Amino acid sequence: MPQTKLVASAPDLETGRRAEAFLLEAAPEDPLAVSLFEARPAYILEAYFERPPALEDLRTSLMQAAPGLGPMHLEEVPDANWVAVSQAALPPIRAGRFVVHGAHDRARAGFARTAIEIEAGEAFGTGHNGTTAGCLAALDALAKRATFHDVLDLGCGTALLALAASRVFPAARILASDNDPIATAVARENVRLNRACNRIRVLTASGFAHPWLRGDARYDLILANILPNTLIALAPAMKRALQPAGTAVLSGILDHQAGEVRAAYATHGFR
């Protein structure tokens, strides 16, 4: 459903702030968001509404709260996937040997074997977040000294890490899972886009609660870019799912949380 944006000009910062305060605290219809920014020599006030407000009534109230406020009008804001719109402008990123890019940078990224195209969407993992870039760097370092044959991307989001693993371990069997069906839909599309359908299976599952992830399923590499509390809770299942000499790459952790995660995994025999 389209939203409506109120746009008004203010001659100075003080007038703009008075109008902003009125919209936030006393407007007849609560706005979804209000912003005030400088556009020399004036200031621009914008307020977003779920439904069009009565402009003349709002104009009268605003002029009383902020005398001197300039012209104002309403604009319709079209429906859009704003996550996709904002991510579409992201530049390619490099992490180790990997280049992660969107469709808009396909020509610039070229067709290098370690280039991965990730379309903007509602799933986490474009490579621009430090936790994802850190996983890519770790994967690059691991690939220089070992080969892995059974790989799990747990909490896969866009399936970026699964795709990266498929680039450096071309003979590996790779499974990508996430508890969010929107994420797994995005992941499947990215796997198709990167021509990896015969290499990567995608499934929707919470943690290891899926037949494909239980029983005899043992991995020599698990990539888990999730959250610290979830990682801690999954430690026992992670131990069971990992081969005795396997490797787990854990991310999504702030510096001050690393000790707690490390201690939890040490308790279950990780080093």
Side-chain angles (χ1 to χ4, degrees), residues 64-75:
Q64 292 174 350
L69 197 64
M72 62 189 74
H73 65 277
L74 297 177
E75 297 177 2

Side-chain angles (χ1 to χ4, degrees), residues 124 131 154-155 223-228 230-231 234 238 250-253:
F124 178 82
T131 64
L154 187 66
L223 308 164
N225 181 19
I226 316 178
L227 290 169
T230 305
L231 289 172
L234 288 173
M238 192 90 68
L250 310 180
S251 192
I253 307 162

Side-chain angles (χ1 to χ4, degrees), residues 8-38:
S9 63
D12 52 61
L13 181 58
E14 183 59 32
T15 301
R17 283 179 173 167
R18 287 177 179 170
E20 180 184 34
F22 171 81
L23 288 169
L24 290 170
E25 299 169 9
E29 295 186 44
D30 292 334
L32 299 170
V34 180
S35 62
L36 177 67
F37 55 90
E38 187 174 7

Side-chain angles (χ1 to χ4, degrees), residues 111-150:
F111 296 94
R113 187 170 66 86
T114 51
I116 304 168
E117 184 170 319
I118 297 293
E119 272 309 282
E122 296 178 71
F124 178 82
T126 61
H128 291 81
N129 186 281
T131 64
T132 309
C135 283
L136 291 171
L139 190 56
D140 177 56
L142 285 169
K144 292 175 182 176
R145 62 177 189 266
T147 297
F148 296 93
H149 303 283
D150 292 281

Side-chain angles (χ1 to χ4, degrees), residues 4-9 45 47 55 59 70-75:
T4 300
K5 178 172 70 171
L6 170 74
V7 182
S9 63
L45 178 72
L55 180 58
R59 189 197 312 273
M72 62 189 74
H73 65 277
L74 297 177
E75 297 177 2

Side-chain angles (χ1 to χ4, degrees), residues 85-216:
V85 169
S86 63
Q87 290 187 353
L90 294 175
I93 69 110
R94 293 182 180 273
R97 73 188 76 182
F98 302 108
V99 179
V100 185
H101 64 91
H104 58 288
D105 274 314
R106 187 180 296 160
R108 184 161 37 148
F111 296 94
R113 187 170 66 86
T114 51
I116 304 168
E117 184 170 319
I118 297 293
E119 272 309 282
E122 296 178 71
F124 178 82
T126 61
H128 291 81
N129 186 281
T131 64
T132 309
C135 283
L136 291 171
L139 190 56
D140 177 56
L142 285 169
K144 292 175 182 176
R145 62 177 189 266
T147 297
F148 296 93
H149 303 283
D150 292 281
V151 180
L152 171 61
D153 180 3
L154 187 66
C156 66
T158 61
L160 171 56
L161 298 180
L163 287 164
S166 75
R167 296 289 197 264
V168 292
F169 308 123
R173 295 176 292 272
I174 302 169
L175 185 61
S177 73
D178 201 289
N179 65 356
D180 182 355
I182 294 176
T184 51
V186 172
R188 288 188 184 95
E189 177 58 23
N190 284 326
V191 168
R192 185 200 63 77
L193 184 66
N194 286 273
R195 300 185 179 92
C197 292
N198 63 334
R199 306 274 318 287
I200 300 171
R201 293 187 298 174
V202 180
L203 64 91
T204 304
S206 178
F208 290 89
H210 190 281
W212 290 4
L213 296 168
R214 292 196 300 261
D216 296 330

